[in-house]
Amino acid sequence: MTEVIVMESAAYQKMIGQIAKIAEFITKNEHKLQDCDFDDDVWLDSQEVADMLHISTRTLQRLRSDGLVEYSVFRRKCLYKLSEIEKKVREKVITCEPHLIDVYKKNRLLDVTKDTGNE
């Protein structure tokens, strides 16, 4: 049995326009996801690192205390270079599934794109 949906022409045209905008946004920003080069200047706070690695902030504090993770303090806040966290995961200093970092980077890029109004 075939189901037929009826809608006003104006609503249909509006929906088609919105789909076209979404497709344009994806096409325009697809290269950013593929060519994304997170340099050393990407800094993460403790909560971001903990979320990315699926560990607690207390575990991250232990890694700092044991000298296993490099960090800097800025305005009483611990900050970590994304490249250093990736390096420690590769060296197996920190146990984490590497795909979690890739997922985090893609999500962060999408968040930055939204914040800059490139939608």
Side-chain angles (χ1 to χ4, degrees), residues 62-100:
R62 278 191 214 102
L63 292 171
R64 281 195 318 263
S65 297
D66 294 344
L68 299 174
V69 176
E70 295 178 28
Y71 67 99
S72 294
V73 177
F74 180 72
R75 293 186 181 173
R76 300 176 64 184
K77 194 174 189 179
C78 293
L79 298 174
Y80 310 81
K81 287 184 180 181
L82 178 57
S83 61
E84 287 298 317
I85 298 298
E86 286 181 297
K87 179 180 166 188
K88 297 298 182 180
V89 168
R90 279 193 311 273
E91 294 172 354
K92 300 195 188 298
V93 171
I94 303 172
T95 48
C96 167
E97 296 179 36
H99 80 277
L100 294 174

Side-chain angles (χ1 to χ4, degrees), residues 4-61:
V4 177
I5 299 173
V6 179
M7 64 188 331
E8 291 181 16
S9 178
Y12 176 77
Q13 293 301 324
K14 183 178 179 182
M15 183 178 69
I16 294 298
Q18 290 171 334
I19 292 171
K21 283 183 181 179
I22 292 168
E24 180 184 337
F25 173 79
I26 291 170
T27 302
K28 187 169 73 173
N29 291 296
E30 191 172 28
H31 71 280
K32 290 181 183 177
L33 290 174
Q34 294 169 349
D35 300 335
C36 182
D37 182 23
F38 281 82
D39 295 331
D40 290 346
D41 59 326
V42 175
W43 291 85
L44 306 172
D45 65 22
S46 294
Q47 190 62 58
E48 289 173 314
V49 173
D51 291 346
M52 180 177 66
L53 299 176
H54 292 279
I55 61 174
S56 68
T57 52
R58 177 64 182 120
T59 299
L60 186 57
Q61 182 181 349

